[in-house]
Amino acid sequence: MSVKRCTSLIGGLLILVGSLVVTAPMVSANDEILKLQKDDGQWAIQGKNYAATRYSNLNQITPDNVKNLKVAWSFSLGTLNGQEGGPLVIGDTMYVHSSYSSGNSHNIYALDLSKEGAPIKWKYAAKHDPKAVPVACCDLVHRGLNYANGKILYQTLDGIVIALDAKTGKELWKTRNADPSKGETNTGVGMVIHDKFIVGVAGGEFGVRGWVAAYDVNTGKQIWKARSAGPDEDLMLEKDFNAANPHYGRFGEGTKSWPGEQWKTGGGTTWGYWSYDSDLNLLYYSTGNPGTWNPAPRKGGDNKWSMTIWARNPDTGKAKWAYQMTPWDNWDYDGINESVLTDQTIGGKKLKVLTHFDRNGFVYTLDRTNGTLLKADAFVYVNWAKGVDLKTGRPIVNEEKLTKQGADTKNICPCAMGGKNQVPVAYSPNTNLFYAAVNNMCMNYEGVLVQYTAGAPYVGANVLMFNGHEGKDNWWGDVIAWDVAKGKRVWEIKEQQPPWSGPVATASNVVFYGTMDGWFKAVDATSGKLLWKHKVGSGIIGNPITYKGPDGKQYVAVYSGVGGWFGATVSLDLPPDDPTAALGGVNAAYLSKLPMATSKGGTLYVFGL
Amino acid sequence: MSRRFAIAGGFVIAMILSPFAWSAWGGHITQLRACGDPDNMPFSNKQSEGFENKIAEVIAKELKVDLTYFWWPHQRGLVRRALRPELCDVMISIPQGWDQVLWTKPYYRSAYVIIYPKDRGFQIRSLDDPILKRLKIGVYINTPPAEALANRDIRTNVVGYSLLYGSQNERSEKILQDLMTGEIDVVIDWGPMAGYFVKRMNGTSPIEVVPLQGGEPGIPFTFEFSMGVKEGNTALKVELEQAINRRHAEIRKILEDYGVPLLPLLAREQFPKVEEKPGEVFYRRFDRDDPLTSY
């Protein structure tokens, strides 16, 4: 049977390659993924493992010898927008992805680690629908690939779910998950569990009613689709949904916590990093903003289940529990951040927990078996709420900080970029600490602005952002080590710009992360002491990984290429004399000296001893 | 601000460097390059059937220049990636005060309108009519009337529609179809979209169109429309303003023909420029720098 290549973007099109039509009985993709995750020589999933700890047992690079680290080789990604996510290493192949680009395309490469200089095994370049560009938020980022069952799986910016043959780069199938002409896009990674590729969607600001959907890894056929808002059958709830915590809300909340039919434009999109517990068979993901920008039309309910941490059975799609962090959001605290799975002793009991550093400035620790909130502490300076009531699970909102169309609400902390943006944290079982790249910014939120789209004028919001502690500080972000049990920082490193690179921690107590102005750093996991740094070509917003090469040596790899929400000033060339640019003429990026520190780029760097 | 005449040397350089379609001698343009939306009736489409197309034709005729188009949807990114790089020079109608562009003096004013079939027997004249507390109302989310209804605690009987819906035509079709089938009782729509629809119904089913007056702090119901040019392109702005003045009656007739509800112009700035303070991130929405290709 000949292989057909398909370049059209028609959803639901199925392309089968000969070898797939008659296959041996499938081993569950999951067994292989679990095995790969346990091998610290490889890096098989964006978060390193299903628990999303971004922790590696490799220990060749130590606090003592890290000063000898140098560039082993590097590789151009071929695009110049913000390079998020990181590569995968499976066996002796590294799979690399680029950002989406000016030419409405992106690149995927397989590199051969067994040969000197890692030459290209195959390249896959795809065009995306230009319609996705005006509706995608905040630079054209791509958060990475998944590997399963001999396939590379991912979802494009314009909502196409694709499976490539990992050996050849040939398209096996593709299907449409999201439609950019309705404002639906995607920047998230999704996750492969069992024989399903589960993906999300972005576009909450256009009233997209968010969902997660599962596709068969072998055929691309949709198996289930669960919404973030709407009637219970759309939400797909287990019979015992939230039974352990009925006060968080159980049935009917997807409609009754909204005025009238507002749930139809409910938002709650799902583009962050995710995690999975294979013993409990639960997928953990979080939802973003409710669908309308301003809070007034949504008033009178919690707008569930936006801003929510969910636990779902990946096979049936049914939700076991859900916990909403920011009811009736007023601040754009898009709740999509990842949840990391660990065991913690809390109140003298050893519990299976998940820990979630939210945009709203609180770090939440929940019993992941049933969703019970155990702890919630501010990990940055927070003033929109006085705290979180552990009994009710609700924030104690500071009424002065509620926002309103036609009013300018001043000095709200954190800002809309969040206490932490989508940048994933790392967790080391050695130190029992979380390592998080956090923002140090506050905002004024003013609901008045003429907007215009396709003939219709409307009103939006202006968000002015400035330094932390209501503008008193003079730095824009930190890397922190966080002790969940104590609910406090163990150490912190001030960074000039907000660090947007997800740290990685290793068994030898070295933590690696990159900075927005282009430094790749190694610090001591116990003290935060700087051990080594190297300046790369462009600011780093990618997440470093570490792996063992075919030569048995430990390497650390990271994408360089500034961009994303804060870095767009550089990646999109927003000039300082342009008062109407998205980030304003004289803005934090300029004040933080970012454009003088780095320029746009797209390069993979691999470091070794 | 007085304009200086370019000296000869400057003139030669200007001719070589300036991508503007005009000469440096006082800046009379040689062609009118409009940023046209390829698929957004009643405003514009690629067949030039929209009222913006008709107005552009009148202006080009007045200026005695050829009219050409750069076709791209009027969505996020258009200004940064088409108008500023000079792929086109003028947007035919933009809300006055939309600070991405330099705007001409406004030449028409329209309003959000309440519309409903006459045979439903309503007499609604404003958002304060108590009947709106119980009718099913269709609105576009994030628009001023949606906010204003919320401020009157009218939420539970409001159905939100997205400003993005497949093609822009589908967008307005959907809300109006739902109105006609009785799915919703009344619609609050942007005047030009509603007016065009009513015109096309051609009296088969008489529809009441009630412009909303004024607005509230930060929530205007009426908007004045100008032509928009690139920041700094004052020469073209002046030419356009003169042409608009001279052809005012003709332009008005086009708007009326398309059913655009027209209100008297205001004699004041509706939206002052937003002042940005040094050292603060000013976030609205992201534009992008991909080079655009005309549709």
Side-chain angles (χ1 to χ4, degrees):
Chain A
M1 200 175 104
S2 70
V3 178
K4 283 199 192 127
R5 291 305 297 266
C6 162
T7 49
S8 83
L9 291 176
I10 299 164
L13 212 59
L14 214 64
I15 299 134
L16 288 174
V17 171
S19 67
L20 262 185
V21 180
V22 279
T23 45
M26 282 290 163
V27 184
S28 162
N30 218 58
D31 302 341
E32 184 199 20
I33 296 171
L34 285 166
K35 202 167 120 241
L36 287 169
Q37 290 182 15
K38 286 199 180 82
D39 178 358
D40 284 296
Q42 314 189 51
W43 192 281
I45 181 174
Q46 290 292 325
K48 176 65 177 79
N49 43 46
Y50 275 141
T53 59
R54 303 189 46 74
Y55 170 83
S56 168
N57 271 310
L58 295 181
N59 58 8
Q60 290 178 13
I61 300 169
T62 66
D64 294 333
N65 67 18
V66 68
K67 61 182 181 295
N68 302 322
L69 211 58
K70 53 192 182 303
V71 177
W73 53 277
S74 61
F75 179 83
S76 174
L77 302 169
T79 63
L80 294 172
N81 288 76
Q83 310 290 352
E84 289 190 356
L88 299 178
V89 175
I90 313 287
D92 55 10
T93 308
M94 182 184 280
Y95 298 96
V96 170
H97 72 280
S98 78
S99 70
Y100 300 94
S101 76
S102 306
N104 293 325
S105 68
H106 63 280
N107 308 315
I108 313 289
Y109 296 95
L111 306 179
D112 188 345
L113 298 176
S114 68
K115 298 199 172 76
E116 194 184 21
I120 299 170
K121 282 183 163 179
W122 55 257
K123 173 187 177 181
Y124 172 82
K127 283 270 181 203
H128 63 256
D129 182 346
K131 274 203 188 76
V133 172
V135 291
C137 162
C138 324
D139 204 2
L140 298 169
V141 299
H142 182 332
R143 298 203 171 90
L145 307 171
N146 300 270
Y147 173 88
N149 203 12
K151 299 179 186 67
I152 293 294
L153 299 125
Y154 71 104
Q155 184 186 181
T156 60
L157 186 74
D158 56 338
I160 308 286
V161 183
I162 296 183
L164 305 175
D165 183 322
K167 280 202 179 56
T168 62
K170 289 229 178 349
E171 270 177 27
L172 302 175
W173 53 258
K174 56 183 174 186
T175 187
R176 178 173 290 292
N177 177 59
D179 179 358
S181 68
K182 298 192 172 79
E184 300 162 357
T185 53
N186 169 71
T187 53
V189 186
M191 187 172 261
V192 179
I193 301 173
H194 301 142
D195 292 329
K196 296 173 185 70
F197 180 30
I198 305 170
V199 297
V201 66
E205 73 262 48
F206 297 108
V208 169
R209 183 161 62 110
W211 69 84
V212 288
Y215 295 87
D216 184 317
V217 295
N218 297 310
T219 63
K221 194 171 149 286
Q222 192 181 97
I223 299 163
W224 55 258
K225 180 173 180 174
R227 296 276 187 174
S228 307
D232 287 349
E233 58 270 25
D234 290 8
L235 303 178
M236 299 183 71
L237 306 178
E238 297 276 20
K239 285 195 181 64
D240 65 350
F241 174 73
N242 268 359
N245 295 289
H247 54 294
Y248 295 169
R250 294 197 67 192
F251 302 104
E253 291 290 339
T255 54
K256 71 184 183 211
S257 68
W258 297 84
E261 294 177 30
Q262 304 275 330
W263 56 267
K264 287 182 173 169
T265 48
T269 49
T270 49
W271 47 271
Y273 292 101
W274 300 348
S275 50
Y276 168 65
D277 182 326
S278 57
D279 297 335
L280 298 169
N281 199 24
L282 288 173
L283 160 71
Y284 303 98
Y285 69 94
S286 312
T287 54
N289 291 327
T292 50
W293 182 273
N294 288 311
R298 300 183 265 108
K299 195 177 175 178
D302 290 343
N303 310 154
K304 287 187 164 86
W305 294 92
S306 65
M307 311 303 217
T308 294
I309 303 173
W310 285 89
R312 245 179 227 288
N313 177 316
D315 299 317
T316 62
K318 292 266 167 74
K320 177 154 181 65
W321 59 258
Y323 165 73
Q324 188 185 46
M325 298 167 288
T326 313
W328 188 49
D329 172 67
N330 269 239
W331 310 275
D332 198 11
Y333 289 148
D334 219 350
I336 57 85
N337 288 356
E338 79 292 346
S339 296
V340 180
L341 315 185
T342 68
D343 295 339
Q344 296 289 335
T345 306
I346 292 177
K349 273 201 299 240
K350 194 161 184 180
L351 297 167
K352 288 181 176 214
V353 303
L354 66 75
T355 298
H356 170 106
F357 288 75
D358 196 60
R359 294 262 193 111
N360 71 14
F362 291 102
V363 48
Y364 296 84
T365 297
L366 280 66
D367 179 330
R368 70 174 183 265
T369 63
N370 60 14
T372 303
L373 177 65
L374 304 167
K375 277 190 82 53
D377 300 286
F379 65 94
V380 290
Y381 175 70
V382 172
N383 68 13
W384 70 272
K386 296 174 187 71
V388 178
D389 181 335
L390 293 182
K391 254 202 213 56
T392 62
R394 299 182 74 85
I396 304 149
V397 176
N398 177 355
E399 303 284 326
E400 284 166 29
K401 301 296 181 188
L402 292 173
T403 64
K404 191 174 180 307
Q405 188 66 36
D408 189 1
T409 310
K410 301 234 187 261
N411 286 321
I412 305 166
C413 307
C415 76
M417 287 191 197
K420 178 181 83 70
N421 202 263
Q422 47 68 41
V423 190
V425 302
Y427 165 80
S428 166
N430 282 3
T431 58
N432 198 25
L433 297 175
F434 287 83
Y435 302 95
V438 305
N439 300 321
N440 182 36
M441 286 188 261
C442 300
M443 66 177 173
N444 295 347
Y445 197 102
E446 185 178 20
V448 53
L449 174 74
V450 192
Q451 295 271 19
Y452 165 76
T453 187
Y458 64 104
V459 174
N462 280 336
V463 182
L464 274 157
M465 302 191 198
F466 37 85
N467 282 122
H469 294 95
E470 287 123 16
K472 292 191 209 47
D473 294 343
N474 62 354
W475 73 99
W476 299 88
D478 305 84
V479 171
I480 64 170
W482 183 266
D483 183 323
V484 161
K486 293 199 181 82
K488 65 179 219 276
R489 293 183 183 190
V490 174
W491 53 255
E492 62 193 49
I493 303 166
K494 289 186 174 64
E495 289 289 353
Q496 172 68 21
Q497 293 89 12
W500 279 34
S501 158
V504 62
T506 69
S508 48
N509 281 345
V510 182
V511 171
F512 293 96
Y513 70 91
T515 66
M516 188 86 70
D517 57 352
W519 289 97
F520 191 52
K521 295 183 177 181
V523 300
D524 187 302
T526 55
S527 65
K529 181 174 157 259
L530 180 68
L531 303 168
W532 168 86
K533 65 178 183 175
H534 178 91
K535 176 91 183 207
V536 297
S538 173
I540 298 171
I541 58 166
N543 310 322
I545 68 157
T546 184
Y547 68 96
K548 207 185 274 181
D551 57 2
K553 289 186 183 150
Q554 183 186 352
Y555 292 94
V556 184
V558 69
Y559 294 157
S560 126
V562 74
W565 190 344
F566 192 95
T569 302
V570 177
S571 67
L572 304 184
D573 287 320
L574 305 177
D577 58 354
D578 178 359
T580 63
L583 280 164
V586 269
N587 57 57
Y590 278 91
L591 199 80
S592 74
K593 303 188 178 66
L594 182 65
M596 305 306 287
T598 192
S599 68
K600 57 184 161 183
T603 304
L604 160 76
Y605 285 84
V606 179
F607 298 90
L609 290 172
Chain B
M1 210 175 78
S2 68
R3 290 177 43 82
R4 285 196 189 159
F5 283 105
I7 53 165
F11 166 59
V12 173
I13 291 167
M15 287 299 283
I16 294 164
L17 295 182
S18 165
F20 281 111
W22 52 41
S23 82
W25 293 109
H28 181 67
I29 58 170
T30 53
Q31 58 167 322
L32 189 68
R33 299 185 304 176
C35 315
D37 195 317
D39 177 25
N40 189 22
M41 287 301 282
F43 306 94
S44 165
N45 70 8
K46 224 172 158 168
Q47 294 74 43
S48 289
E49 292 164 335
F51 68 76
E52 290 183 4
N53 307 117
K54 304 299 175 209
I55 293 170
E57 284 158 21
V58 166
I59 296 292
K61 204 156 50 187
E62 170 62 30
L63 296 172
K64 299 187 178 58
V65 293
D66 288 338
L67 172 66
T68 59
Y69 280 102
F70 177 82
W71 298 109
W72 208 75
H74 281 204
Q75 287 178 358
R76 264 201 302 203
L78 175 79
V79 171
R80 252 171 50 78
R81 294 153 62 216
L83 189 76
R84 285 189 202 133
E86 291 159 19
L87 297 171
C88 51
D89 298 326
V90 56
M91 293 172 74
I92 299 299
S93 68
I94 53 109
Q96 191 253 348
W98 188 54
D99 65 1
Q100 305 246 327
V101 298
L102 174 65
W103 57 84
T104 65
K105 286 198 181 77
Y107 64 95
Y108 75 96
R109 177 168 163 239
S110 193
Y112 273 90
V113 295
I114 304 176
I115 59 171
Y116 49 86
K118 284 188 175 160
D119 60 17
R120 291 190 190 165
F122 306 140
Q123 287 291 323
I124 305 166
R125 290 292 164 266
S126 84
L127 294 184
D128 296 315
D129 189 324
I131 197 172
L132 290 178
K133 293 211 185 281
R134 44 187 189 80
L135 296 181
K136 215 164 168 188
I137 310 164
V139 295
Y140 288 112
I141 59 172
N142 297 325
T143 58
E147 293 291 315
L149 289 170
N151 290 346
R152 289 162 175 74
D153 288 323
I154 300 171
R155 295 187 185 90
T156 54
N157 51 330
V158 173
V159 183
Y161 290 77
S162 174
L163 276 164
L164 280 175
Y165 196 94
S167 81
Q168 298 305 345
N169 282 335
E170 270 177 65
R171 164 185 75 183
S172 46
E173 294 290 315
K174 177 92 180 83
I175 199 169
L176 296 162
Q177 270 164 8
D178 288 357
L179 176 69
M180 297 320 287
T181 59
E183 183 90 5
I184 43 185
D185 300 314
V186 296
V187 159
I188 302 175
D189 197 356
W190 174 232
M193 300 204 250
Y196 177 68
F197 167 74
V198 172
K199 271 268 188 219
R200 272 190 313 165
M201 297 287 287
N202 207 1
T204 50
S205 167
I207 293 174
E208 193 74 56
V209 178
V210 185
L212 291 172
Q213 297 296 325
E216 291 147 35
I219 311 177
F221 297 152
T222 74
F223 290 82
E224 299 195 281
F225 276 75
S226 304
M227 292 189 188
V229 299
K230 181 178 170 170
E231 285 284 351
N233 194 349
T234 45
L236 181 57
K237 168 182 173 275
V238 168
E239 289 222 34
L240 293 169
E241 284 177 344
Q242 289 167 348
I244 292 166
N245 280 343
R246 288 195 293 266
R247 298 279 185 145
H248 192 73
E250 229 170 310
I251 292 171
R252 192 176 172 90
K253 172 133 184 13
I254 292 168
L255 293 164
E256 283 168 354
D257 287 347
Y258 279 78
V260 176
L262 294 172
L263 299 169
L265 289 168
L266 299 168
R268 56 180 170 80
E269 289 268 296
Q270 194 168 2
F271 294 101
K273 275 257 189 222
V274 178
E275 287 304 316
E276 295 175 33
K277 294 184 213 117
E280 290 177 328
V281 191
F282 193 83
Y283 168 67
R284 269 175 236 141
R285 286 284 164 84
F286 272 80
D287 295 325
R288 286 191 187 62
D289 61 347
D290 327 25
L292 292 175
T293 45
S294 191
Y295 266 53

